[in-house]
């Protein structure tokens, strides 16, 4: 089932978020509470857990200031921008550089969701942690997007 996160204003007041599925039914979510309380949120990482061990990991990466940058929602479909296409290409080739398989991902306007399968037995060079891979992914993606943003000389 395909879902799109949307927002709707009521009487000029604060935005009320909804999830719209392909049947166009609305389901209210507590998205505002989460966004407004990010600075007070609990740590989602376990202190004693080794994030370099084999496993499936669900990762969400948000863009700074939640700017809609990676895609647009048009007729209930996600349409990637040129920057979203860069993300798409890098994610599809991530396993060529790191011992990780991208099981599934979705690129939203201001964030991405990933399900990664980390398997360091595929790497004979180094054991990579989830943090290593995400850090390098973000760094490389930022570099490629900045190249696109620079005006030609």
């Amino acid at each position: 089932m395909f879902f799109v996160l949307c927002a709707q204003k009521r009487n000029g007041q604060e935005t009320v978020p909804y999830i719209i599925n392909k049947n166009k039914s609305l389901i209210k979510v507590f998205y505002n509470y989460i966004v407004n309380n990010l600075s007070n949120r609990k740590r989602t990482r376990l202190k004693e857990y080794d994030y370099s061990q084999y496993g499936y990991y669900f990762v969400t990466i948000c863009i700074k200031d939640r700017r809609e940058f990676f895609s647009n929602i048009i007729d209930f479909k996600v349409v990637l921008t040129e920057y979203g296409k860069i993300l798409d290409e890098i994610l599809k080739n991530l396993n060529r550089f790191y011992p990780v398989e991208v099981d599934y991902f979705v690129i939203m306007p201001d964030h991405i969701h990933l399900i990664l399968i980390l398997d360091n037995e595929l790497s004979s060079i180094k054991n990579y942690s989830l943090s290593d891979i995400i850090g390098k992914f973000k760094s490389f993606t930022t570099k490629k997007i900045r190249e696109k943003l620079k005006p030609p000389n």
Side-chain angles (χ1 to χ4, degrees), residues 11-95:
N11 301 329
Q13 295 180 353
E14 111 178 31
T15 303
V16 179
Y18 289 89
I19 292 180
I20 301 176
N21 66 19
K22 68 180 180 178
N23 298 326
K24 300 181 184 178
S25 63
L26 299 175
I27 306 166
K28 188 172 179 180
V29 295
F30 297 102
Y31 182 76
N32 271 349
Y33 176 80
I34 293 167
V35 170
N36 292 332
N37 293 291
L38 283 179
S39 60
N40 300 326
R41 70 182 180 177
K42 292 181 184 179
R43 291 253 177 230
T44 55
R45 295 190 188 124
L46 301 172
K47 276 187 179 181
E48 305 300 321
Y49 189 77
D50 177 8
Y51 284 91
S52 65
Q53 64 184 335
Y54 174 86
Y56 284 70
Y57 296 91
F58 178 81
V59 178
T60 299
I61 303 172
C62 299
I63 195 165
K64 184 180 178 192
D65 300 326
R66 303 289 299 218
R67 286 185 34 212
E68 294 185 359
F69 192 74
F70 300 134
S71 66
N72 297 303
I73 308 299
I74 300 171
D75 294 329
F76 302 102
K77 293 182 183 171
V78 176
V79 179
L80 297 179
T81 64
E82 61 182 315
Y83 310 113
K85 290 176 184 175
I86 291 171
L87 279 178
D88 183 65
E89 186 65 30
I90 292 170
L91 285 169
K92 287 179 179 174
N93 291 294
L94 201 59
N95 66 340

Side-chain angles (χ1 to χ4, degrees), residues 114-127:
L114 314 163
I115 297 177
L116 301 176
I117 306 169
L118 181 59
D119 188 359
N120 274 309
E121 291 183 11
L122 300 174
S123 175
S124 59
I125 301 169
K126 175 187 173 186
N127 271 358

